[in-house]
Amino acid sequence: MSAENIERKRLWANFYIALEAVIANKVRSLLTALGIIFGVAAVIAMLAIGNGAQQEILEQIKLVGVNNIVVEPVTEQRDERVDEASDLEEERARFSPGLKLQDVEAIQQTIPGIKNISPEIEMETFLVQSGVRRSAKLVGITPAYFEVLDFKLLEGRMFSEENMRNGEPVCIIGKAVANKFFPKENPLGKRIKSGSQWLEIIGVMEERYVSEQSISKLGIRDFNMDVYIPIQTMLLRFKNRDLVLASNLEDDNNRRSDNYHQLDKIVIQVEESEALNPTAEVVTKLLERRHNRVIDFEVTIPELLLKQQQRTQNIFNIVLGAIAGISLLVGGIGIMNIMLASVLERIKEIGLRLSLGAKKSDIVNQFLFEAVMISVSGGLIGVILGIILAQLVARFGDFPTVITLPSILLSFGVAATVGLIFGIAPARKAASQDPITSLRYE
């Protein structure tokens, strides 16, 4: 028999001896592995929560678009203080036209590095078709809207130049609108009533999932229930707040109603991420000048806000991982302590094996196998417990969790490594026993 086969048999013999020792002390082995079990479960659960938060942030970035700057109107505040009469008179002397299509043209023609610019007008409406009535959002846009927010058509076509120029009654509907009003037929070419206007459907949007967290955090809506029309159609046939009507004025102080802005939002997409802040500053100054220094708008960069949130989340994930890693470290120390106690309990067994011809390497392998088996079995139980914990958090905590294979392999690998490292000291102590002294040990 070759030396290699003999060595292999010795290893298997040491493995079986270690396995018998672990099985013979099932309760002690389980208690020893508790630190590893909870450590691995904590690592998997924490990484799943962190990955879920990261994925949610990435989805939110997709929803607000890449390299986008958002300009939204701020309606006038009505609270007035008596001791600031002079400031109020000065403020009344100023006049702001509000956000208008002319602002869009000025931004596009004046500021370099702009890839797309998309004005929006929103209006709550009721949709009616074949006796079915449902509330929805009517949105007046330009074709640039779909590029800025990376929206795609499932079927149909985009607004043509003629549709835009003439304000024709055509629309593109969200997937949920199509499912609601046309569950068994193709909606293209059909008509749907919004308010008092009938609109011809020329396209259907791809379905876009929006979580409740994204709706609350970003202030966005469920795009699948939107109806999109050309912005000129909105201004001609539905709503144009730029028109001066009696309802726009107040008798007391001749001030306009709260929302006098023609547009509800302007989304500006720049070429490079590095230009987001500088472009936002230039847009702010340009609009201040056009609005006679009346700050009736707000400029935000959603992507930068979300990336800041992402950096904060990364730090949070590192802290959570470190805390979970400490659990694994404590589990490893527990394994080492129990194995050291096990060496003292089995000194006679060690002395007997050494006196019968066992090598010191056999004793080292036996105790290392025991430590690794305890940590590996604890790691397996911990993986199952961690997956269950992550699913419970997702189900009852209303928090997204993402369990990935690398997180499972990482936690399991660390658990096995911990058992190996913390098993070395007890194994070496066992192998260093003197056979004669060990046989006399009481």
Side-chain angles (χ1 to χ4, degrees), residues 55-324:
Q55 187 181 56
E56 185 183 10
I57 291 171
L58 292 176
E59 289 298 323
Q60 289 174 351
I61 290 176
K62 289 180 182 177
L63 289 174
V64 299
V66 180
N67 296 346
N68 286 352
I69 300 169
V70 178
V71 183
E72 293 180 296
V74 175
T75 55
E76 289 183 333
Q77 302 297 318
R78 296 307 187 86
D79 296 334
E80 300 178 1
R81 296 180 59 181
V82 176
D83 59 349
E84 296 180 354
S86 60
D87 292 338
L88 287 172
E89 290 299 328
E90 181 182 353
E91 188 70 22
R92 287 174 184 170
R94 298 177 184 174
F95 173 83
S96 171
L99 289 180
K100 301 176 62 174
L101 285 176
Q102 286 84 346
D103 290 328
V104 176
E105 296 172 3
I107 292 171
Q108 199 163 24
Q109 294 172 3
T110 307
I111 303 175
I114 291 179
K115 184 178 180 181
N116 281 305
I117 185 164
S118 169
E120 299 176 35
I121 303 175
E122 300 174 6
M123 188 181 82
E124 297 290 341
T125 188
F126 281 95
L127 302 178
V128 179
Q129 214 280 337
S130 300
V132 179
R133 186 173 186 262
R134 174 71 185 270
S135 62
K137 182 84 74 174
L138 190 67
V139 188
I141 59 169
T142 65
Y145 176 89
F146 299 97
E147 296 181 28
V148 167
L149 294 182
D150 194 27
F151 282 13
K152 294 179 175 59
L153 283 178
L154 179 65
E155 53 186 341
R157 63 174 178 85
M158 191 58 62
F159 302 130
S160 66
E161 287 292 336
E162 187 177 355
N163 295 151
M164 297 295 299
R165 185 174 58 253
N166 299 332
E168 295 179 353
V170 294
C171 69
I172 297 173
I173 61 175
K175 183 62 176 174
V177 176
N179 293 338
K180 177 70 176 177
F181 292 96
F182 306 96
K184 297 181 180 180
E185 57 182 327
N186 190 333
L188 294 182
K190 303 290 192 308
R191 299 209 308 163
I192 191 168
K193 190 177 184 181
S194 173
S196 61
Q197 299 287 329
W198 284 95
L199 303 171
E200 180 185 353
I201 301 171
I202 63 171
V204 179
M205 300 292 299
E206 278 189 357
E207 188 170 10
R208 191 154 192 174
Y209 173 73
V210 183
S211 66
E212 292 183 5
Q213 290 86 355
S214 298
I215 292 174
S216 61
K217 289 179 182 178
L218 300 178
I220 58 180
R221 59 187 182 273
D222 183 2
F223 300 106
N224 300 307
M225 276 304 297
D226 285 352
V227 175
Y228 302 97
I229 61 176
I231 197 165
Q232 289 297 335
T233 303
M234 175 69 84
L235 294 174
L236 290 173
R237 300 173 184 270
F238 290 94
K239 179 175 66 173
N240 186 356
R241 286 187 294 261
D242 193 42
L243 298 177
V244 179
L245 303 174
S247 58
N248 296 125
L249 304 175
E250 291 187 17
D251 296 333
D252 294 340
N253 51 22
N254 206 33
R255 294 181 67 186
R256 288 172 297 170
S257 60
D258 287 340
N259 190 356
Y260 53 84
H261 300 268
Q262 186 183 46
L263 304 179
D264 291 308
K265 185 186 292 185
I266 302 174
V267 182
I268 304 162
Q269 187 178 48
V270 299
E271 297 281 358
E272 303 293 338
S273 298
E274 294 77 12
L276 279 170
N277 273 323
T279 304
E281 292 176 5
V282 175
V283 168
T284 301
K285 291 178 180 178
L286 174 64
L287 291 179
E288 282 181 5
R289 189 174 69 251
R290 290 182 57 83
H291 293 202
N292 296 319
R293 302 295 174 184
V294 177
I295 308 302
D296 56 353
F297 60 89
E298 182 181 19
V299 179
T300 58
I301 308 175
E303 184 180 352
L304 294 186
L305 296 176
L306 289 172
K307 285 183 176 179
Q308 179 61 44
Q309 182 182 347
Q310 190 174 26
R311 285 192 289 269
T312 305
Q313 184 64 46
N314 287 336
I315 296 172
F316 183 64
N317 291 344
I318 292 172
V319 172
L320 290 179
I323 294 172

